[in-house]
Amino acid sequence: MPITPATATHTSSNGTADAILLELVDENGVTIGTAEKLAAHQPPGQLHRAFSVFLFDERGRLLLQRRALGKYHSPGVWSNTCCGHPYPGEAPFAAAARRTFEELGVSPSLLAEAGTVRYNHPDPESGLVEQEYNHLFVGLVQSPLRPDAEEVDDTAFVTPAGLAERHAGDAFSSWFMTVLDAARPAVRELTGPSAGW
């Protein structure tokens, strides 16, 4: 499977670069069209399909990533394990597994659907807007990470207390708490009561 950085373009068979397209959806998550990625994030934003992944280790710690400084959207901030957008027609589950491998060099040993959440989060730093219908996934990671430096600046495994401490002092993506809170029931089912999520 080809490596496809989030901001890259695709080269078509005739050698020209094709813009990355996102799947536009209605409030019920039904596909209604496509839009170029950057255009979909320009204010006021166009509602589009996205995914967010939360992976945990065997101790119930959440894997966070700090987004690479070169990313055009929310660079250098901490966020969930992996997030992104399916290609038009690509299943969110397949996209979540694909991007997790592309960004972190690891395939989850377990990945399960954890519902959806719809939100509208402007990013004051970039001026872009996240209008997303987000498919949530939780899972386990048991292999060593091999992050792609163009996508990921740093990683950390955190307990709930460690997350609270980091969240109080470091910059996080505007959508992080929204997607984490929406995924919490599935996170608790996955990690068990002793993990404290």
Side-chain angles (χ1 to χ4, degrees), residues 2-23:
I3 301 300
T4 52
T7 55
T9 55
H10 298 282
T11 302
S12 66
S13 58
N14 64 8
T16 60
D18 295 330
I20 290 183
L21 296 179
L22 305 187
E23 203 169 82

Side-chain angles (χ1 to χ4, degrees), residues 9-197:
T9 55
H10 298 282
T11 302
S12 66
S13 58
N14 64 8
T16 60
D18 295 330
I20 290 183
L21 296 179
L22 305 187
E23 203 169 82
L24 300 180
V25 298
D26 65 16
E27 294 291 338
N28 297 311
V30 176
T31 302
I32 58 172
T34 60
E36 190 277 324
K37 182 177 180 179
L38 187 56
H41 290 88
Q42 299 285 353
Q46 299 176 73
L47 184 59
H48 57 274
R49 195 176 309 284
F51 64 83
S52 289
V53 177
F54 297 87
L55 296 183
F56 296 82
D57 67 7
E58 67 282 351
R59 295 165 51 189
R61 298 180 304 168
L62 171 61
L63 173 58
L64 299 177
Q65 72 154 274
R66 186 162 57 200
R67 295 164 63 83
L69 293 173
K71 295 185 79 85
Y72 78 96
H73 190 343
S74 303
V77 301
W78 289 96
S79 198
N80 47 293
T81 307
C82 179
C83 54
H85 310 92
Y87 295 131
E90 182 182 26
F93 184 92
R98 171 179 59 81
R99 283 303 291 163
T100 299
F101 183 78
E102 289 174 357
E103 291 188 9
L104 295 161
V106 65
S107 295
S109 56
L110 170 75
L111 191 64
E113 294 182 9
T116 59
V117 62
R118 193 265 195 245
Y119 53 79
N120 174 5
H121 284 300
D123 176 35
E125 293 295 319
S126 67
L128 300 175
V129 178
E130 288 288 7
Q131 283 267 21
E132 293 189 331
Y133 188 92
N134 197 303
H135 297 257
L136 307 172
F137 298 93
V138 300
L140 299 174
V141 60
Q142 296 174 306
S143 303
L145 304 177
R146 294 173 320 213
D148 178 350
E150 291 188 12
E151 298 287 345
V152 180
D153 183 60
D154 198 4
T155 59
F157 284 95
V158 296
T159 63
L163 174 61
E165 182 178 332
R166 189 178 293 264
H167 195 262
D170 294 339
F172 273 73
S173 64
S174 60
W175 61 86
F176 175 75
M177 287 308 300
T178 299
V179 292
L180 176 59
D181 287 345
R184 277 188 198 274
V187 168
R188 290 180 184 127
E189 186 175 338
L190 175 73
T191 60
S194 63
W197 292 102

